[in-house]
Amino acid sequence: MSRYRGRFAPTPSGPLHFGSLVAALASFLDARRAGGQWLLRIENIDPPRCPPGAAETILHQLEAFGLHWDGPVHWQHERDAAYQAALDTLVDRGLAYPCSCSRKQWRDHALYPGWCRDGPREPGGPVAWRLRSDLGLRPIAWQDRLFDEQRFDPAALGDVVLKRKDGLWAYQLAVAVDDADQGITDVVRGFDLLDNTPWQRQLQHALGLPHPRYLHLPLIMGDDGQKLSKQNLAPPLPREDDAVRPLLHRALTALDQRPPAELATAPVADQLARAISAWDAGRIHPHPERSATGARH
Ligand code: GLU
């Protein structure tokens, strides 16, 4: 049996749109083609950003597109103890520290200057927790499956926040811990997340966790030249079968998989079966952006 384990990890800040469909589909096809598992993780660590019902809508949307996940859904709001254990480990290793500074105090700097590294400047008040980027962490490099070698200097990344002053966990820590706990071997996600990868790899290194492989995907841009997103009101994915079929075909086209034209109205299961057997990530054109109609910017 294949040891491949992939995942789709949406933030339920609203329904999925065409851009998220392309990311979900690519990670699904990559996992299924490899005979591996495809897991679903709902990244709801920031409750104010997650309207009630949005996560359930996402599950229904994925099902309508035939993207059935393996095992139970992994919910980040249940993971407090795991994130705290990881933070405690980093603190024990001298790699994380409490910081009392507000963004306003260091607004003249591009990166947080590390003022609290030797203890909070204002002890006794609320603190955020930050990762030290100045302690012998090696340059971060990885071979992206689509975008070739990526290299980042830890010092240029700054001391990223792991836990916020309001007590909420930061995305970077949650993702690094969950990818490891879920045994993820392959991360397939949008290019907009590429510059988060160095922090996640730095955390994997600091916590002694394995590094997955990464494939970042071209971003789907709207007619206005902006990335499709909930903020610019990209239309939510439909759930009616007659609308789902052609959209699935378009998503496969956006991934350069060249689905046969006659499959555009075929049942979802038929389109997916063909797409799994024909999946070739190497066909995706490595361009950071492309329009929803397939043109490259
Ligand atoms: N939750 C993130 C998002 O919806 C994606 C996280 C990931 O794939 O690592 O943008």
Side-chain angles (χ1 to χ4, degrees):
M1 210 187 112
S2 164
R3 59 174 289 278
Y4 183 114
R5 283 165 77 88
R7 73 348 180 241
F8 178 53
T11 301
S13 51
L16 301 179
H17 50 72
F18 186 69
S20 19
L21 171 64
V22 169
L25 184 61
S27 69
F28 172 86
L29 294 174
D30 203 54
R32 292 292 182 242
R33 173 75 203 163
Q37 303 265 301
W38 187 63
L39 310 180
L40 178 62
R41 181 164 81 223
I42 299 291
E43 302 213 313
N44 58 346
I45 35 172
D46 191 348
R49 281 187 55 211
C50 303
E56 288 68 25
T57 301
I58 289 176
L59 305 189
H60 292 309
Q61 289 177 311
L62 290 172
E63 277 166 351
F65 280 83
L67 303 177
H68 303 297
W69 55 92
D70 295 305
V73 178
H74 177 109
W75 297 88
Q76 285 193 329
H77 74 275
E78 296 172 346
R79 301 276 299 151
D80 203 58
Y83 305 147
Q84 189 61 53
L87 178 59
D88 292 346
T89 303
L90 294 169
V91 173
D92 287 349
R93 294 180 180 175
L95 292 172
Y97 65 91
C99 170
S100 59
C101 297
S102 65
R103 181 73 183 88
K104 223 163 119 198
Q105 286 168 309
W106 55 276
R107 68 178 161 212
D108 297 336
H109 300 257
L111 292 175
Y112 175 65
W115 290 326
C116 292
R117 280 176 183 161
D118 299 320
R121 283 177 132 195
E122 290 162 42
V127 289
W129 291 82
R130 289 180 180 275
L131 182 71
R132 288 188 76 132
S133 57
D134 61 330
L135 287 180
L137 291 165
R138 298 165 306 175
I140 302 154
W142 78 92
Q143 192 66 30
D144 192 89
R145 286 173 58 198
L146 203 56
F147 287 94
D148 298 329
E149 195 188 62
Q150 304 290 321
R151 246 175 203 285
F152 291 80
D153 170 8
L157 292 173
D159 293 358
V160 72
V161 170
L162 304 172
K163 189 177 192 180
R164 292 168 16 180
K165 261 191 196 171
D166 59 10
L168 293 182
W169 294 102
Y171 160 70
Q172 311 295 354
L173 181 78
V175 169
V177 170
D178 285 343
D179 279 342
D181 283 358
Q182 292 189 284
I184 300 303
T185 60
D186 285 80
V187 172
V188 177
R189 61 184 178 191
F191 191 82
D192 53 333
L193 293 162
L194 183 126
D195 55 8
N196 288 277
T197 307
W199 278 309
Q200 291 163 24
R201 291 187 67 93
Q202 194 178 20
L203 279 165
Q204 288 153 6
H205 179 63
L207 289 163
L209 304 173
H211 295 303
R213 297 194 303 166
Y214 290 89
L215 191 168
H216 288 91
L217 299 161
L219 284 185
I220 306 294
M221 311 303 273
D223 296 339
D224 56 357
Q226 298 292 310
K227 175 187 123 142
L228 288 187
S229 73
K230 292 150 202 160
Q231 288 71 33
N232 64 21
L233 302 179
L237 293 178
R239 281 195 247 160
E240 305 72 32
D241 198 43
D242 56 344
V244 162
R245 293 179 186 198
L247 208 58
L248 179 58
H249 194 269
R250 255 179 70 199
L252 290 164
T253 304
L255 287 165
D256 298 317
Q257 299 302 299
R258 300 181 215 136
E262 64 274 16
L263 279 187
T265 52
V268 159
D270 296 353
Q271 293 198 47
L272 287 178
R274 191 262 171 204
I276 291 168
S277 61
W279 173 250
D280 180 0
R283 274 209 207 123
I284 305 171
H285 190 270
H287 194 283
E289 296 174 0
R290 66 168 39 194
S291 76
T293 50
R296 282 157 202 144
H297 285 267

